[in-house]
């Protein structure tokens, strides 16, 4: 059955997966009866294709979610550490967001005109993130796409640069990877009819010499990056990396876009404010409106001045930016509630403390069972990685993935009342998470790790 992964034999992994699959089926008769063959009417049986990425044999049917718990149609109450893969990073339906949503619902949902909430949100964004000019979009993908158009417009350059292993939603230009050290279109893309490597350069995260070489000819409009790689096994920046990134982009006239959609877990102002980063453009999506679809992107006075000049010299027409439901009244009301009353210093202090407790507990379990794995944390975001660490770049992160092993662990945790993100081993702590939930996750992980380490999987 092969060599396995993460130091665990393939036979042990498969035995755990078989056992946990049967446990799941037995424990979910309602879901099995209603959606065991997929949800009727949907391609491949799900409303969105990535819902098939969960390791469960068929989807859970969620009946409700509140705070840090989720309840399914079979009556199971799960401690939710996935939290909508960051979309509900501040918990499910925080009371201020719920109240704002209900209040706005009686006044209309979208008008293509600003509201009192829009007045407040603009000020709050500038105060919190330190940039003076903001626009509202619907998803982080939209915000990144629009920001890159602006970067190209104001620099007059076509190329962008990404770091290998990056994640910025479904922005075409970011779907470039290094394969054996050579730039290539990301494997698995559907309908891709252009070579993305023509206008996108890709280098390894933390590789300052490679970055310098890629920017040296002055053809790159923008570097787009997360402060920490988060979607390929988390990779932390080396000391001094962000300083070098900012220095090199300024020296070459290249704009710097920081995408904080995942790293907003760091603190109220994201990784940018916590570590004194100085982006030209800034993007935040997913949790900024408490789970309601919304995103924001901001930029400096210099970018605004240059953009004004470009727009003044451009004939009237479609800018290529904006969607009809962007900046709708409902999203702005929920964004105001989130910024004012949910994303608070007090909330982050709670999240930081419990995330630290979680990371320590996971690390202790790994050490207790002699596994050569490691744990990474960025504020309220924690990840266990079934490989030695720390990781320094996207290539190392890709090699650290242990697909079948991770799927077996995820399903085993689910059967023990714990939900974590399906795509990797990411866990989030929210303001509603309790110490008891963290301890339950640590205990379940320790049990599963112990079973795997001993190689004894039995019903």
């Amino acid at each position: 059955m092969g060599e396995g992964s993460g130091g665990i034999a393939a036979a042990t992994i498969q035995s755990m997966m078989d056992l946990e699959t049967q446990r799941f089926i037995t424990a979910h008769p309602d879901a099995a009866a209603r959606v065991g063959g997929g949800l009727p009417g949907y391609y491949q049986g799900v409303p969105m294709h990535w819902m098939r990425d969960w390791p469960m044999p068929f989807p859970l049917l969620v009946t409700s979610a509140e705070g840090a718990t989720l309840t399914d149609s079979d009556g199971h109450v799960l401690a939710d550490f996935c939290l909508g893969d960051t979309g509900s990073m501040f918990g499910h339906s925080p009371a201020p967001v719920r109240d704002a949503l209900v209040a706005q619902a009686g006044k209309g949902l979208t008008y293509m005109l600003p509201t009192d909430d829009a007045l407040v949100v603009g000020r709050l964004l500038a105060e919190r993130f330190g940039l003076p000019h903001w626009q509202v979009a619907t998803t982080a993908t939209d915000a990144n796409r629009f920001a890159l158009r602006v970067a190209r417009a104001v620099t007059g350059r076509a190329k962008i640069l990404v770091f290998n292993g990056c994640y910025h939603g479904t922005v075409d230009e970011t779907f470039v990877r290094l394969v054996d050290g050579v730039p290539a279109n990301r494997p698995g893309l559907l309908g891709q009819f252009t070579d993305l490597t023509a206008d996108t350069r890709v280098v390894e995260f933390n590789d300052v010499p490679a970055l310098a070489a890629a920017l040296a000819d002055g053809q790159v409009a923008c570097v787009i990056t997360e402060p920490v790689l988060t979607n390929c096994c988390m990779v932390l920046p080396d000391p001094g990396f962000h300083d070098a990134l900012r220095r090199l982009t300024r020296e070459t006239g290249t704009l710097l876009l920081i995408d904080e959609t995942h790293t907003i877990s760091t603190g109220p102002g994201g990784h940018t404010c916590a570590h004194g980063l100085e982006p030209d453009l800034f993007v935040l999506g997913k949790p900024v409106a408490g789970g309601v679809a919304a995103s924001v992107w901001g930029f400096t006075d210099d970018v605004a001045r240059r953009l004004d000049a470009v727009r003044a010299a451009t004939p009237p027409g479609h800018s290529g930016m904006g969607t009809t439901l962007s900046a709708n009244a409902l999203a702005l009301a929920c964004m105001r509630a989130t910024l004012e009353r949910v994303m608070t210093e007090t909330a982050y202090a709670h999240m930081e403390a419990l995330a630290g407790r979680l990371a320590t507990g996971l690390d202790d379990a790994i050490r207790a069972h002699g596994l050569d794995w490691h744990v990474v944390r960025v504020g309220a975001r924690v990840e266990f990685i079934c490989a030695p660490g720390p990781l320094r770049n996207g290539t190392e992160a890709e090699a650290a993935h242990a697909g079948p092993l991770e799927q077996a662990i995820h399903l085993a945790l689910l059967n023990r009342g714990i939900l974590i993100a399906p795509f990797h081993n990411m866990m989030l702590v929210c303001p509603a998470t309790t110490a008891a939930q963290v301890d339950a996750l640590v205990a379940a992980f320790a049990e599963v790790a112990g079973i795997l380490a001993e190689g004894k999987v039995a019903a």
Side-chain angles (χ1 to χ4, degrees), residues 173-200:
E173 295 96 323
T174 66
F175 288 146
V176 176
R177 294 292 182 267
L178 289 175
V179 178
D180 297 326
V182 179
N185 294 322
R186 181 174 179 172
L189 291 179
L190 295 174
Q192 188 59 46
F193 60 93
T194 58
D195 180 7
L196 299 174
T197 65
D199 288 312
T200 300

Side-chain angles (χ1 to χ4, degrees), residues 76-304:
H76 302 289
V77 179
L78 304 173
D80 187 3
F81 289 88
C82 173
L83 296 170
D85 193 24
T86 310
S88 293
M89 194 183 89
F90 303 107
H92 295 291
S93 300
V97 175
R98 182 181 65 239
D99 293 346
L101 191 154
V102 171
Q104 186 61 48
K107 298 184 290 186
L109 305 179
T110 185
Y111 333 123
M112 291 184 68
L113 288 167
T115 61
D116 286 343
D117 292 323
L119 280 170
V120 175
V121 167
R123 173 180 56 79
L124 292 173
L125 290 170
E127 290 175 353
R128 181 173 293 238
F129 301 113
L131 293 171
H133 303 278
W134 291 89
Q135 291 282 272
V136 178
T138 304
T139 70
T141 291
D142 290 337
N144 280 317
R145 186 180 294 121
F146 303 157
L148 289 177
R149 292 189 72 89
V150 166
R152 284 174 161 145
V154 303
T155 62
R157 302 174 180 180
K159 299 185 185 299
I160 69 161
L161 185 144
V162 300
F163 292 108
N164 190 38
C166 70
Y167 179 71
H168 302 287
T170 56
V171 178
D172 280 2
E173 295 96 323
T174 66
F175 288 146
V176 176
R177 294 292 182 267
L178 289 175
V179 178
D180 297 326
V182 179
N185 294 322
R186 181 174 179 172
L189 291 179
L190 295 174
Q192 188 59 46
F193 60 93
T194 58
D195 180 7
L196 299 174
T197 65
D199 288 312
T200 300
R201 294 178 179 175
V202 55
V203 300
E204 294 285 12
F205 198 70
N206 285 321
D207 190 339
V208 174
L211 174 65
L215 297 179
D217 64 3
Q219 294 186 32
V220 175
C222 185
V223 173
I224 176 173
T225 186
E226 302 172 272
V228 175
L229 295 187
T230 63
N231 220 53
C232 61
C233 294
M234 284 203 293
V235 178
L236 301 176
D238 286 346
F241 174 70
H242 278 295
D243 290 339
L245 171 60
R246 183 66 280 194
R247 174 179 56 80
L248 289 168
T249 50
R250 284 177 171 150
E251 288 176 354
T252 56
T254 305
L255 297 180
L256 175 61
L257 191 165
I258 298 290
D259 181 354
E260 289 264 18
T261 297
H262 284 170
T263 53
I264 193 64
S265 62
T266 307
H271 209 82
T272 294
C273 293
H275 295 275
L277 309 185
E278 298 178 356
D280 301 295
L281 302 127
F282 178 102
V283 164
L284 173 59
K286 287 190 181 179
V288 70
V292 172
S295 66
V296 294
W297 55 288
F299 44 94
T300 62
D301 281 329
D302 179 64
V303 171

